[in-house]
Amino acid sequence: RRARVPPTAASVAPRARPARSRPLTTPSRGTRGALLRARVVPDLGFPPPDLAFLPTPSQVFDLENVAIFPFWGAMMFAPDNKVTKAVMSSYLVPFLTGAVYVYLVWFSFHDPRIIESFSTGKPDLEALAKGFSYEWCMAVGWAHFIAMDLFVGRWVYLDAQKNRVFAIHSLLLTLFFGPTGAVSHVLTRGVTGLIRGEKLNDVMLPAEEK
C-alpha cells in the first residue's frame, strides 16, 4: 500500500474560474444618433482659427447693446440738436446695424450645426429653438431686433420732427417693446392732428402738391 500524502493548501484551494468577458452592449438608437451627429457635424467653433481675431458673438452683443443707446438718447432728449438731426436723417444708422447683422449671419450660417437645425423643411418651434440654442444664431436674432427697433425708432423720430408731434413715450415703447411704439406714434399723431384740426402726413409719404 502506498502511504497517503496529506493534502496541501494548494491542492485543497478551489480553482479560480476564468473571468468571463462581458458582452458588448449595443448603443441605443438615441446614442447612435448622437454619436453620428457628433461625427458628421463636429463642434467646430466660430470664427475658425485663422480668423480668431474677429469679434465673437458675445463681444458683438455687448458692443451693440452699448452703442445703440446714444442714438436713442439723442432722439428722445435732444431731438432738435443739429448733430441728432444730421445723424438720424442720414443712412448711417441703418447701414451700421445692417453691417453687424450681415456679419453675424455670414458666420452663423457657416456653422453646419445651425444649418442642420433649420433644415427640417418646416418652420416649427422645435427647429427654431434648436437653431437659436447656438450662440452665433442667438446673436443674429438679437442683432435683428436691434436693427429693426432702431429703424422704426428712426421713422418715429423723423415723422415727429416733420409734424412737430411729441414722441418720447413712443420712442421708449419702440426701444423696449418694438411694434407697440409704432402703434403709439400713429395714435399720438392722429390725436394731435384732430386737436390742431389739420391732417398730418407720414414722413415717408411724398409731400402733397399745393
Side-chain angles (χ1 to χ4, degrees):
R1 294 184 181 178
R2 294 181 181 178
R4 291 186 177 181
V5 180
T8 61
S11 62
V12 174
R15 294 183 181 179
R17 294 182 179 179
R20 294 183 179 179
S21 59
R22 294 184 178 180
L24 295 175
T25 57
T26 303
S28 63
R29 182 180 300 178
T31 305
R32 290 199 304 268
L35 292 173
L36 181 61
R37 287 192 297 272
R39 183 176 59 188
V40 176
V41 187
D43 188 359
L44 299 177
F46 284 83
D50 56 331
L51 297 177
F53 62 91
L54 293 175
T56 64
S58 296
Q59 291 171 334
V60 175
F61 177 85
D62 294 337
L63 177 62
E64 62 184 347
N65 280 334
V66 174
I68 62 170
F69 279 103
F71 298 110
W72 288 103
M75 289 189 292
M76 287 186 280
F77 304 113
D80 296 322
N81 184 276
K82 292 182 179 180
V83 176
T84 304
K85 289 182 177 181
V87 171
M88 300 314 299
S89 298
S90 69
Y91 293 106
L92 176 65
V93 174
F95 177 81
L96 290 177
T97 55
V100 172
Y101 180 78
V102 170
Y103 166 78
L104 293 170
V105 168
W106 174 261
F107 278 108
S108 67
F109 282 96
H110 275 66
D111 188 336
R113 299 169 300 173
I114 297 175
I115 297 296
E116 182 193 29
S117 301
F118 289 106
S119 300
T120 60
K122 56 180 181 179
D124 54 23
L125 286 176
E126 184 179 355
L128 289 175
K130 183 179 179 182
F132 282 102
S133 66
Y134 297 106
E135 193 177 50
W136 275 100
C137 200
M138 179 58 72
V140 169
W142 190 250
H144 184 275
F145 288 138
I146 286 179
M148 296 308 298
D149 287 350
L150 199 50
F151 182 82
V152 174
R154 176 176 175 268
W155 165 74
V156 170
Y157 166 78
L158 294 176
D159 190 74
Q161 284 287 302
K162 174 187 176 182
N163 293 303
R164 307 310 300 171
V165 175
F166 183 75
I168 290 180
H169 64 298
S170 298
L171 288 168
L172 277 172
L173 287 172
T174 305
L175 172 60
F176 293 108
F177 303 107
T180 59
V183 174
S184 171
H185 178 68
V186 171
L187 293 175
T188 303
R189 186 180 62 192
V191 172
T192 303
L194 288 175
I195 294 173
R196 294 179 185 172
E198 60 180 335
K199 182 181 179 181
L200 303 180
N201 293 319
D202 193 295
V203 69
M204 298 184 71
L205 297 178
E208 294 183 354
E209 297 182 359
K210 295 183 180 181

